[in-house]
Amino acid sequence: MTDLLSLFRTMVRIRAFEDAAEAASQGGVSWGGAATGKPGEVRVKGPLHLSTGQEAVATGVCAHLGPEDLLTSTHRGHGHTLAKGADSTKMMCELFGRATGYNAGKGGSMHIADFSVGMLGANGVVTAGLPIAVGAAHALKIRKTGAIAVSFFGDGAINRGPFLEALNWAQVFKLPVLFVCEDNQISATTKSAPMTAGTNAASARAQSLDIEATRVDGNDVEAVSDAASQLIAQIRAGSGPRLLHAITYRQKGHVSVDPATYRKQEEVAEALKDDPILRARALLAQRGLGEQAARIEAEAKAEIDAAVAAASAAPAPDAAAAYTDILTTGEGMWK
């Protein structure tokens, strides 16, 4: 569904999920000092990378994908995973480290996968999702399924080697893959622009390999949806790879307890005025759909509140589970 109400529903579900996860994680990770919050309040432990402010990109792209299409994500993958159709309760259980989570509580925030909806997984290694998506796209082409692969990555990833390798392979073999650069303008805690050569670098580097690229306002969900629709239609028709370059802004720090003091408050305040959910809500009000929007937001909050309650009540993994799902070659020991 690509009407604005449907797109808005996906965005507010992502925002509600991440707001709840952030609240549950306070005190879970130390950032340059002592952890914040009280130990008893920590229900999500370990790194939690939020995508607050980037919801329009995940929503606008995934609105045009089916469960047969495959997706890879970044370490900031909650939004991509929800937009692809994953279950919010199983996701929250995974963040809480519960046995009922997607990875039985072993993967945590950065490693959620759900093959049943085509979500191949979030990934803690910058750029690692791109070659995985290209490999998946190559398999789809050989099998002639008609499905495509999509890979989300950040602007920091375009300075790493696997970005070029993935785009080159995809173009040489004309693979059905959409590369989506979520250009939030910052790489972890460093501004991307001073360490990135060239202008409009993500698009320009794709075009240097004869891959068509489209730049779009990543905070305008309708613009993202329209651009993604066109690119995905071209890919399904056999064009080979395409790249979508979405300009957006990450509103929170690198991890949930990072106060992001390295950014100017004036910059953050200005960016918050361009919040994609605020923009969509205002548009819906202009179109006489304000009441429906309010109801959708209430439903999203109720859904996520229920997910948090379920995760809080779910059992922890059995201690013996620590010795299962382990890959071993049977050889080699450190001496």
Side-chain angles (χ1 to χ4, degrees):
M1 298 292 287
T2 57
D3 63 278
L4 186 54
L5 274 177
S6 297
L7 297 171
F8 184 72
R9 181 186 302 277
T10 301
M11 287 200 296
V12 297
R13 287 181 68 234
I14 295 170
R15 181 68 61 89
F17 182 92
E18 293 210 307
D19 283 351
E22 180 184 29
S25 77
Q26 294 304 314
V29 179
S30 173
W31 186 262
T36 59
K38 300 176 182 177
E41 297 173 338
V42 179
R43 288 176 290 173
V44 175
K45 301 178 180 179
L48 187 65
H49 301 79
L50 302 170
S51 63
T52 311
Q54 303 178 190
E55 295 88 350
V57 187
T59 298
V61 172
C62 291
H64 301 279
L65 303 177
E68 71 282 2
D69 298 311
L70 304 178
L71 187 75
T72 65
S73 179
T74 67
H75 51 284
R76 213 172 295 285
H78 304 146
H80 308 144
T81 309
L82 279 173
K84 194 63 173 69
D87 181 85
S88 58
T89 296
K90 292 185 71 173
M91 283 180 59
M92 193 64 77
C93 287
E94 186 60 36
L95 266 59
F96 275 54
R98 305 302 188 183
T100 50
Y102 265 113
N103 306 99
K106 297 180 180 181
S109 166
M110 285 196 289
H111 303 102
I112 297 175
D114 182 357
F115 290 3
S116 71
V117 298
M119 177 56 185
L120 299 183
N123 200 306
V125 179
V126 174
T127 330
L130 280 89
I132 294 172
V134 168
H138 211 143
L140 292 173
K141 182 170 184 176
I142 291 171
R143 294 174 179 174
K144 299 179 180 179
T145 67
I148 72 168
V150 175
S151 182
F152 286 97
F153 56 95
D155 41 303
I158 69 172
N159 290 331
R160 295 203 65 238
F163 171 76
L164 175 61
E165 296 170 7
L167 266 64
N168 182 66
W169 189 274
Q171 178 67 336
V172 166
F173 291 97
K174 300 298 181 189
L175 300 180
V177 56
L178 176 64
F179 299 104
V180 182
C181 179
E182 287 181 303
D183 190 345
N184 62 26
Q185 308 167 55
I186 191 165
S187 305
T189 59
T190 305
K191 284 281 189 181
S192 297
M195 59 180 184
T196 303
T199 302
N200 200 17
S203 301
R205 292 176 189 181
Q207 290 162 346
S208 73
L209 299 174
D210 291 335
I211 295 175
E212 290 187 22
T214 298
R215 183 180 165 101
V216 68
D217 179 350
N219 287 354
D220 181 341
V221 70
E222 288 185 310
V224 174
S225 175
D226 289 345
S229 174
Q230 294 178 27
L231 295 175
I232 289 171
Q234 292 170 11
I235 295 168
R236 293 195 195 281
S239 69
R242 292 287 186 266
L243 185 140
L244 179 64
H245 185 182
I247 310 302
T248 183
Y249 190 84
R250 167 165 53 85
Q251 297 178 2
K252 299 294 180 70
H254 179 54
V255 292
S256 57
V257 293
D258 166 20
T261 53
Y262 40 82
R263 292 197 296 212
K264 294 180 179 178
Q265 291 306 304
E266 297 83 359
E267 171 193 316
V268 177
E270 194 63 29
L272 291 178
K273 295 177 184 175
D274 196 34
D275 183 296
I277 291 178
L278 291 181
R279 286 174 64 171
R281 185 189 295 142
L283 266 179
L284 288 167
Q286 288 175 19
R287 297 174 186 177
L289 299 169
E291 289 186 12
Q292 289 93 324
R295 185 165 62 247
I296 286 171
E297 288 193 87
E299 290 170 353
K301 186 176 186 307
E303 173 194 343
I304 301 306
D305 284 348
V308 170
S312 299
D318 188 271
Y323 299 96
T324 62
D325 305 322
I326 297 172
L327 175 65
T328 174
T329 62
E331 297 288 340
M333 292 183 65
W334 286 11
K335 298 178 180 179

